[in-house]
Amino acid sequence: MAHRDFLYSTCQRPAGIRSHNVTKPGDPMSNHPRLPDVVDGFGPLRPTALPAVAKTMRRGRELVLPDLDAAIRALGLKDGAVLSFHHHLRNGDAVLNAVVDAAARAGLRNLHIAASSIFPVHAPLVSHMESGVVTGLCTNYLSGPVAEAVSRGVLDRPVVLRTHGGRARAIRAGDLKIDAAFVAAPSADPMGNISGTEGPRACGVLGYPQCDVRFADKVVAVTDTLVDFPAQRIQIGQEHVDLVALVPSLGDVSGILSGTTRPSEKPADLEIARNAARVIEAAGLLVDGFSLQNGAGGASLATAAAVGRRMTDLGVTGSFASGGITGFHVDMLEAGLFRSLLDVQCFDLRAIESLRADPRHQSMSASMYANPHERGAVVDRLDAVVLGATEIDLDFNVNVTTRADGIIAGGSGGHADTAAGAKLAIVTTKLTAAGFPKLVERLGTLTTPGRSVDVVVTDAGIAVNPARADLADRLAFAGLAPVPIADLHRRALAQAERRPVHVREGDVVAVSEYRDGTVTDLIRRV
Amino acid sequence: MAHRDFLYSTCQRPAGIRSHNVTKPGDPMSNHPRLPDVVDGFGPLRPTALPAVAKTMRRGRELVLPDLDAAIRALGLKDGAVLSFHHHLRNGDAVLNAVVDAAARAGLRNLHIAASSIFPVHAPLVSHMESGVVTGLCTNYLSGPVAEAVSRGVLDRPVVLRTHGGRARAIRAGDLKIDAAFVAAPSADPMGNISGTEGPRACGVLGYPQCDVRFADKVVAVTDTLVDFPAQRIQIGQEHVDLVALVPSLGDVSGILSGTTRPSEKPADLEIARNAARVIEAAGLLVDGFSLQNGAGGASLATAAAVGRRMTDLGVTGSFASGGITGFHVDMLEAGLFRSLLDVQCFDLRAIESLRADPRHQSMSASMYANPHERGAVVDRLDAVVLGATEIDLDFNVNVTTRADGIIAGGSGGHADTAAGAKLAIVTTKLTAAGFPKLVERLGTLTTPGRSVDVVVTDAGIAVNPARADLADRLAFAGLAPVPIADLHRRALAQAERRPVHVREGDVVAVSEYRDGTVTDLIRRV
């Protein structure tokens, strides 16, 4: 019943509205004057009293606030609040900075930023850290000026670095309690229904905030494109959203998406790609139903391309490719190499177009993608994943978190998740980079445990984890002649011109969490 | 890393797999032999130990069980367990009966059935109630032999009758704790991804179980159509599903869907429909952005048709139609009368086809539809809802729960939810039915409080809730000449040949809960 244009609330009846009869119209108790206090087998009961009920209703309330300052006020945040963000806008994101600026204007201090990733575009966060507005950070990936500042000790509390699946787990488990989740919404309606595919700064899938909005205390849709109710292609429904805050722009389109993403054509990349594809085939995985994940970089896509060529030759139809999805994956879908794409994040415009048009291209939440404690994760269905590495040690442990100088420049993202889930986790790498050896005796940081890494493919040979004797036999049989990883290590050291710096003592600036919440390593102040 | 075809677990290494080196390959602690027990600002930490981690992983486990007996065993249910079901298969559903039969074969007793609706097809439940296998029931709608048995006192504990939104609220709030949710899955893959639109017994949207699967202790996808991973058009993702149980058939297609649903052409229905449409127009709601919900019965659709004709005449484009969606709603969408459909349940094949093909036709969960305690419900955005009634009293309270003989034959479903949310809640009714008056002094059961009902439209006149003086003025101005509801009551009594039986004393067989968990009424044994 009634509000707005014939507006009055059932609990606050304005003067001048008369009651036309004497039987207390609409009072349910006039029909049932006495309900008992307790019913056997049901227990104590509260009789319905409509005025009290009405106060609990939202009654079509639209809560669209004109800017983030108003949103921060409406949220009633306190010092020390945990604010969460997602990274589908990547290095084009203007939302995180704008929200923290507004929080700073509101005089908030000691905020904890829970972001799925931090990019160079988030550099303004450093001054908020220096001033004490932000004193806590957790993220799955950390690069650029914020990473450098953290490594130099800008925060007193250690940053927590998680995996994509570990973050979803931590939110679900209550390890990471979010006070306010800010969802960058390419379009939203006044009730808070959010679409990622519609709007001038569309980013496609919204896989990461799906977890935040279920468990956060408050949820804000931050949008530059307010559309009529109901939004089209709703990905996050209004039942999860408390209010909508308008901003002039979500960010820089060129940093959000590339037009399209293509495989590398560099000879060294192509050589590694061919070898990785041969390893997958030799492992016996290139049969119908094959599933693959690879990164979105040119070298990773070169491996996907090499695998795709073998699939075509062999007449193999894969089941799915997963992870961050590019136009190149769409090409593979449309060529019939895979039956489906499972997409947690679109990397280019072509991926978004495919998501909109092709039901075989399906979105997934971070939890469905990689949460180890949910009822099923897509990473656990992977046949092969092709991963990169900053450093690999002789036990196949991998560092993708810190650079050779000890400064943070990454983090697991989905690295440790996919390695743990896939039947065959391949790390591809050159022997050296920027003069540093990639194969090392001791890692700067242990990100992904070696037990989950099966093969290292380099430009100078292939090494199989000794725990995978079966796989070593298969590769040898296929003529791939795997070598001990110690051989690759020796050759890397011989090629390298310098040695990494390892900081083993001093203040802990970051804790590297494994997907289950245990700790793989500590990162020290540089 | 590895399982199945090169299968061994990292925690249980089979004999014969040799370790090739002496540095404990893959043991992350060999890289970092000593992590401290506590890190300042982070707290106590558990170092990652991969064998322990591996045990927490599901590692692509497919848990497809050949039948429901195996599923019941795997769930480890105990006497007194709460089993939940949804009603998208309506009177064609074979799943609820098959699950309860299997539970009975397993020797379980004192089960509580938490169904979103119970239909005549669920008659076999009665013998399980008589034998003590089932001793508790909660549902939003209850009709057929189970309703009659409940009314005659087959259960010792009262049945709890909720609204669609109230059930979603109760699950979210923990008032209704589900041990095992059984999702009738028109198709599912071995990881438990569920589609409602694919498969020979497709039912379309799966709006109701969306709530169950988020909060149930265990979730079973019950399917007759196991598809390759990943399922297409996933509506419930594998992260919510514990296991898949195969059944020969989900049920009888003819009971699940009709081919198409059409408006009534009976003169009395058409007269009421025209009047309801005139009320909506007179209320000033027929402007761009108008939103409407109506039932799927022929008389309700006749009102929608009458409203649609006025929208066409006036050149009005509505924002959405919501609720259970029929082919007739699809016609209205395609004619441009509405920009969108928000669908909690498909009623016919044409609705499913539209859901698959037209992104303007969107699904919603029961929580998004009607949960009063979530952050926003679609019912709160409704301009007009057209509802039915078994009885209406002089305070505009409505009974849709019990028949004139006192036997349960319905329940709120979305009745009380939409009445509370809509700006204009219209109840349409004839003055009498089967010789009984529909306007009464005392209701058999109070389902929907009169404060949320604005207008009663009958074949003999229109009555406006006295609390809505504004609306009475508008109707009078439009020449609709509203009459006091007492006049309609007198005419109904004059027409009626018999009087309803009211049972006010005796055992309570059911409790009628309002959407917020308060109690509107008690239903007594007949």
Side-chain angles (χ1 to χ4, degrees), chain A residues 149-178:
Chain A
V150 166
S151 288
R152 297 191 197 289
V154 70
L155 295 177
D156 288 337
R157 272 193 287 171
V159 168
V160 181
L161 296 173
R162 294 196 173 89
T163 74
H164 284 329
R167 182 177 189 274
R169 179 204 58 72
I171 293 172
R172 177 86 142 93
D175 292 354
L176 172 54
K177 183 78 195 66
I178 298 167

Side-chain angles (χ1 to χ4, degrees), chain A residues 134-458:
Chain A
V134 172
T135 54
L137 174 65
C138 59
T139 184
N140 311 339
Y141 184 89
L142 179 57
S143 67
V146 180
E148 301 195 9
V150 166
S151 288
R152 297 191 197 289
V154 70
L155 295 177
D156 288 337
R157 272 193 287 171
V159 168
V160 181
L161 296 173
R162 294 196 173 89
T163 74
H164 284 329
R167 182 177 189 274
R169 179 204 58 72
I171 293 172
R172 177 86 142 93
D175 292 354
L176 172 54
K177 183 78 195 66
I178 298 167
D179 292 304
F182 292 86
V183 181
S187 56
D189 68 33
M191 290 293 281
N193 291 296
I194 297 171
S195 171
T197 60
E198 313 304 294
R201 272 157 290 265
C203 61
V205 172
L206 295 171
Y208 296 106
Q210 299 281 355
C211 306
D212 304 39
V213 302
R214 296 239 155 74
F215 297 98
D217 191 44
K218 298 284 180 190
V219 175
V220 184
V222 181
T223 194
D224 56 11
T225 305
L226 189 69
V227 297
D228 287 341
F229 181 91
Q232 298 294 306
R233 299 178 186 271
I234 297 168
Q235 287 161 278
I236 293 176
Q238 62 185 53
E239 74 271 34
H240 299 298
V241 179
D242 292 280
L243 53 93
V244 177
L246 301 182
V247 292
S249 167
L250 291 190
D252 172 13
V253 173
S254 71
I256 298 171
L257 293 177
S258 54
T260 185
T261 325
R262 308 304 322 172
S264 168
E265 295 183 354
K266 292 181 197 161
D269 291 338
L270 292 176
E271 172 64 15
I272 291 174
R274 264 192 301 272
N275 282 335
R278 292 175 70 194
V279 168
I280 292 170
E281 184 176 355
L285 295 170
L286 276 196
V287 295
D288 281 345
F290 171 66
S291 57
L292 175 69
Q293 182 163 335
N294 55 277
S300 282
L301 291 181
T303 300
V307 173
R309 283 190 293 275
R310 284 305 293 154
M311 291 171 76
T312 305
D313 293 346
L314 296 167
V316 163
T317 303
S319 54
F320 71 93
S322 60
I325 296 297
T326 68
F328 186 74
H329 293 98
V330 173
D331 291 342
M332 294 182 86
L333 177 72
E334 294 182 355
L337 294 178
F338 290 101
R339 285 190 288 99
S340 193
L341 301 177
L342 294 173
D343 186 343
V344 72
Q345 175 176 30
C346 295
F347 276 108
D348 56 29
L349 280 172
R350 183 149 158 62
I352 297 181
E353 284 158 15
S354 162
L355 178 72
R356 295 176 90 253
D358 190 338
R360 298 175 302 173
H361 185 159
Q362 301 193 73
S363 62
M364 61 179 170
S365 70
S367 213
M368 177 164 164
Y369 169 39
N371 182 344
H373 289 182
E374 274 291 3
R375 297 162 192 220
V378 166
V379 294
D380 294 338
R381 284 292 295 206
L382 277 171
D383 286 327
V385 64
V386 182
L387 296 164
T390 308
E391 295 174 333
I392 308 153
D393 74 12
L394 299 177
D395 294 334
F396 290 76
N397 297 308
V398 176
N399 168 26
V400 288
T401 303
T402 45
R403 301 188 309 212
D405 60 4
I407 288 182
I408 298 167
S412 170
H415 198 285
D417 297 311
T418 51
K423 287 180 188 168
L424 178 65
I426 300 176
V427 170
T428 60
T429 183
K430 293 168 194 164
L431 287 184
T432 61
F436 290 103
K438 305 264 282 184
L439 289 111
V440 297
E441 210 155 335
R442 283 181 76 89
L443 300 174
T445 305
L446 194 165
T447 315
T448 297
R451 279 248 171 117
S452 58
V453 174
D454 300 285
V455 186
V456 173
V457 175
T458 73

Side-chain angles (χ1 to χ4, degrees), chain B residues 60-80:
Chain B
R61 181 198 62 162
E62 296 180 1
L63 200 45
V64 179
L65 296 174
D67 54 40
L68 287 168
D69 295 294
I72 295 285
R73 278 194 300 275
L75 290 168
L77 296 174
K78 296 201 164 49
D79 287 353

